[in-house]
């Protein structure tokens, strides 16, 4: 018997539209406790079927208060965008169509949409037109895709075929980086580079690589294969490495240069910020996200590789039952997954909805709001600016009632801001060990009104805490989290 989709989907659509209509009126951060969520959701598994519509209704009811409302314009935690209307709609259709986007022959339109997205993004980031690309789950897997290609390319030049011979006994590849996101370390682990391969280079106060020792370190390699991992946008400060200075040096010594541009690469869309990524096009690979600043629903990242042959060699696999189409691009030749979601549709929709000028406007407005937020917070009593935004990220810390830096007080204020509900921020620890609050503006809806409401909310919290001598006590510390 064919089931009717209508009741379940209508229920979901009704909820989705209501949720989005009222998201600005909700407490931005999650409010339900761990116990409550476990009690509601970890039910005894039913033996008998439940009507689809009731399953959807229960899901909505049982998750109430357990969602961080990252669709809100006043969600500033981690680095998370919302979803543009067309991208969300395309994502619904992606699930409805349920395509397996591994091969052109399995889903022709999905494959061609990815071709369009890859080429538009290369244009936006000003990457070499001959670069290959892959649409992956996020920046973590974009790193993994890019550095798998790097491994192939570097070892080939040493006469080692890593696809056939593996890593055991291969020439050792050295890895050089300054500040890096945790996802870089995870990628290095997955690809068989131990922590011992990594040499940490000096960085300046904002986290950008100090070029002074760079050349000497690479010269000392004496022909040993190496990768240099640079950043377009440090996760805390948003700082950029100096690509114009560093990449030519790395190239001179034969090193592969990879850029982590999870959010910072989008600076390329704006004439105001484009100088930050100047020279980036000379790298060998680039990783960024769609689910952050482009405001595409999760899961969506992009990998780009200048050495297309090495990229393809590291990913491609042939089996007799996989129907190939020579004239088209098979995503499986470039992606780490086998079966995969047709995630290109949502990116395609977002890029068309915004157009070139819309991406620029989104980037510039987020940066302006971040600057206003940090300046406004810094003007409040008991707030110290730790890092003013370079793009859309900044850091402040909260001084305790005696005017001293206090990690405990800082985290308490972040928790109280979350409990007050107007906005939601996450915390981090700076390189010198101070706890701070991160300000990340990545949502397509955030505007000056949200900045004002946020500042008023934070001020209310600070006044109340000072009056109570620091005893707020409503928020759950587990919600604070680290930067991801
Ligand atoms: C600078 C940076 N690189 C990499 C990542 C990892 O990206 P993803 O979570 O999309 O895998 C993030 C954030 O999550 C990030 O901020």
């Amino acid at each position: 018997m064919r089931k009717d989709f209508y009741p379940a989907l209508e229920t979901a659509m009704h909820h989705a539209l209501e949720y989005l209509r009222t998201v600005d009126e909700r407490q931005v951060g999650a409010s339900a406790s761990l116990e409550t969520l476990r009690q509601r959701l970890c039910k005894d598994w039913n033996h008998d079927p439940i009507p689809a519509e009731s399953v959807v209704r229960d899901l909505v009811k049982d998750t109430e208060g357990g969602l961080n409302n990252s669709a809100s314009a006043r969600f500033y935690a981690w680095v998370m965008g919302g979803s543009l209307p067309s991208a969300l709609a395309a994502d619904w259709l992606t699930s409805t169509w349920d395509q397996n986007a591994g091969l052109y022959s399995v889903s022709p339109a999905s494959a061609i949409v990815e071709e369009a997205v890859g080429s538009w993004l290369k244009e936006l980031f000003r990457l070499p037109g001959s670069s290959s690309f892959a649409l992956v789950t996020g920046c973590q897997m974009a790193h993994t895709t890019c550095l798998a290609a790097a491994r192939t390319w570097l070892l080939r030049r040493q006469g080692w075929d890593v696809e056939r011979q593996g890593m055991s006994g291969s020439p050792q590849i050295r890895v050089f980086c300054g500040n890096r996101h945790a996802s870089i370390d995870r990628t290095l682990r997955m690809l068989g580079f131990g922590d011992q391969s990594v040499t940490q280079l000096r960085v300046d106060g904002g986290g950008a690589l100090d070029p002074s020792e760079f050349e000497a370190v690479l010269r000392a390699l004496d022909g040993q294969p190496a990768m240099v991992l640079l950043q377009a946008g440090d996760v805390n400060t948003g700082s950029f490495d100096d690509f114009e200075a560093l990449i030519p040096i790395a190239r001179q010594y034969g090193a592969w240069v990879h850029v982590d541009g999870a959010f910072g690469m989008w600076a390329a869309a704006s004439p105001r910020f484009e100088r930050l990524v100047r020279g980036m096009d000379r790298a060998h690979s680039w990783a960024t996200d769609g689910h952050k600043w482009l405001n595409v629903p999760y899961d969506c990242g992009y990998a780009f590789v200048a050495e297309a042959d090495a990229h393809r060699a590291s990913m491609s696999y042939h089996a007799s039952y996989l129907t190939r189409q020579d004239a088209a691009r098979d995503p499986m030749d470039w992606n780490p997954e086998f079966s995969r979601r047709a995630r290109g549709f949502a990116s395609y929709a977002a890029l068309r909805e915004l157009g070139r000028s819309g991406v620029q406007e989104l980037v510039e407005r987020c940066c302006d709001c971040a600057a206003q937020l940090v300046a406004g917070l810094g003007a409040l009593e008991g707030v110290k600016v730790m890092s003013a935004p370079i793009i859309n990220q900044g850091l402040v810390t909260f001084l305790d009632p005696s005017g001293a830096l206090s990690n405990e007080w800082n985290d308490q204020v972040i928790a109280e801001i979350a409990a007050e509900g107007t906005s939601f921020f996450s915390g981090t620890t700076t390189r010198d060990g101070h706890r701070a609050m991160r300000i990340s503006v990545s949502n397509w809806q955030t505007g000056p009104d949200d900045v004002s409401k946020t500042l008023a909310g934070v001020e209310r919290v600070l006044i109340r805490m000072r009056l109570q001598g620091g005893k707020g006590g409503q928020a759950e510390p587990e919600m604070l989290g680290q930067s991801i």
Side-chain angles (χ1 to χ4, degrees):
M1 187 193 75
R2 293 263 160 78
K3 277 208 176 175
D4 182 3
F5 281 95
Y6 210 88
L9 291 187
E10 196 180 34
T11 304
M13 189 170 84
H14 175 74
H15 167 70
L17 294 176
E18 263 314 283
Y19 174 79
L20 293 169
R21 192 182 63 79
T22 56
V23 74
D24 263 1
E25 296 153 22
R26 293 163 189 265
Q27 172 170 328
V28 180
S31 54
S33 70
L34 174 68
E35 295 73 37
T36 305
L37 291 171
R38 281 211 178 116
Q39 194 198 340
R40 285 197 219 141
L41 290 158
C42 302
K43 308 167 192 287
D44 287 338
W45 183 26
N46 45 294
H47 179 269
D48 297 322
I50 298 176
E53 178 196 358
S54 306
V55 172
V56 175
R57 275 192 209 293
D58 286 350
L59 187 64
V60 169
K61 189 157 53 73
D62 293 344
T63 53
E64 180 63 34
L67 305 174
N68 273 322
N69 295 309
S70 50
S72 162
R74 292 187 301 281
F75 184 93
Y76 308 109
W78 302 291
V79 189
M80 296 185 178
S83 294
L84 286 157
S86 68
L88 176 56
D91 200 61
W92 285 1
L93 291 174
T94 303
S95 294
T96 307
W97 294 331
D98 195 22
Q99 300 291 283
N100 182 340
L103 294 169
Y104 170 83
S105 59
V106 179
S107 181
S110 316
I112 301 303
V113 153
E114 293 195 13
E115 285 183 15
V117 169
S119 109
W120 292 342
L121 289 176
K122 282 192 282 179
E123 181 186 325
L124 188 154
F125 298 126
R126 292 167 222 199
L127 303 182
S130 57
S131 309
S132 51
F133 62 89
L135 274 65
V136 291
T137 52
C139 198
Q140 167 81 83
M141 285 317 290
H143 292 325
T144 308
T145 306
C146 291
L147 297 190
R151 191 176 65 170
T152 296
W153 187 79
L154 287 165
L155 291 179
R156 259 187 195 170
R157 288 163 27 120
Q158 302 287 319
W160 188 273
D161 178 351
V162 72
E163 275 68 49
R164 197 170 56 81
Q165 295 170 277
M167 286 286 273
S168 176
S170 72
Q172 199 202 356
I173 298 175
R174 303 275 306 277
V175 181
F176 295 96
C177 42
N179 263 15
R180 61 189 180 275
H181 188 263
S183 54
I184 290 279
D185 293 274
R186 296 184 78 223
T187 282
L188 292 174
R189 239 195 255 167
M190 284 190 259
L191 292 175
F193 300 98
D195 287 348
Q196 283 176 359
S197 315
V198 180
T199 303
Q200 170 77 44
L201 301 177
R202 255 201 320 262
V203 293
D204 67 17
L209 217 144
D210 176 351
S212 61
E213 65 175 4
F214 193 67
E215 174 152 22
V217 167
L218 292 183
R219 195 182 314 117
L221 278 172
D222 200 20
Q224 192 182 354
M227 303 191 302
V228 172
L229 311 181
L230 301 181
Q231 295 199 109
D234 179 80
V235 72
N236 282 329
T237 64
S239 71
F240 288 69
D241 285 319
D242 183 347
F243 304 122
E244 274 183 310
L246 299 172
I247 296 179
I249 300 173
R251 279 194 168 266
Q252 185 186 335
Y253 293 100
W256 178 284
V257 182
H258 173 70
V259 176
D260 176 354
F263 56 91
M265 267 170 69
W266 296 86
S270 157
R272 270 171 57 198
F273 297 104
E274 166 280 329
R275 72 193 144 73
L276 295 165
V277 293
R278 223 168 273 160
M280 175 181 82
D281 57 324
R282 294 215 57 214
H284 295 84
S285 59
W286 306 264
T288 188
D289 265 320
H291 54 219
K292 289 188 168 59
W293 224 347
L294 185 58
N295 281 261
V296 166
Y298 284 91
D299 59 16
C300 182
Y302 313 111
F304 303 92
V305 181
E307 299 292 344
D309 282 355
H311 180 187
R312 188 176 190 144
S314 65
M315 291 295 148
S316 186
Y317 198 86
H318 288 242
S320 56
Y321 79 104
L322 300 174
T323 323
R324 294 280 173 169
Q325 235 288 359
D326 284 343
R329 177 183 180 276
D330 282 322
M332 192 181 286
D333 285 336
W334 311 99
N335 271 78
E337 309 103 330
F338 211 83
S339 297
R340 57 191 284 275
R341 181 174 179 75
R343 62 177 67 89
F345 292 125
S347 297
Y348 184 82
L351 289 166
R352 291 201 68 221
E353 181 179 338
L354 293 173
R356 283 196 202 92
S357 64
V359 178
Q360 176 184 335
E361 189 277 332
L362 168 64
V363 165
E364 292 178 354
R365 178 163 38 83
C366 287
C367 294
D368 289 343
C369 288
Q372 288 156 15
L373 261 177
V374 172
L377 288 167
L380 299 177
E381 191 184 336
V383 184
K384 181 174 174 339
V385 175
M386 307 283 266
S387 172
I390 296 167
I391 44 169
N392 62 337
Q393 315 286 312
L395 294 178
V396 299
T397 194
F398 297 100
L399 306 173
D400 73 12
S402 75
L405 283 171
S406 158
N407 288 348
E408 201 190 344
W409 177 264
N410 179 80
D411 284 1
Q412 208 180 333
V413 176
I414 299 175
E416 290 301 326
I417 293 170
E420 192 269 345
T422 307
S423 59
F424 185 78
F425 296 88
S426 56
T428 191
T429 304
T430 61
R431 284 188 306 122
D432 43 9
H434 296 299
R435 293 290 293 161
M437 183 172 88
R438 299 178 66 259
I439 292 97
S440 172
V441 184
S442 315
N443 191 290
W444 68 281
Q445 300 204 74
T446 307
D449 233 35
D450 297 296
V451 172
S452 308
K453 282 187 189 152
T454 302
L455 292 173
V458 172
E459 187 169 26
R460 276 196 297 277
V461 168
L462 290 173
I463 291 171
R464 179 169 50 78
M465 287 179 73
R466 271 199 300 275
L467 287 175
Q468 294 174 346
K471 305 275 185 304
Q474 298 173 38
E476 296 188 35
E478 74 194 45
M479 290 172 187
L480 285 177
Q482 295 284 328
S483 48
I484 56 168

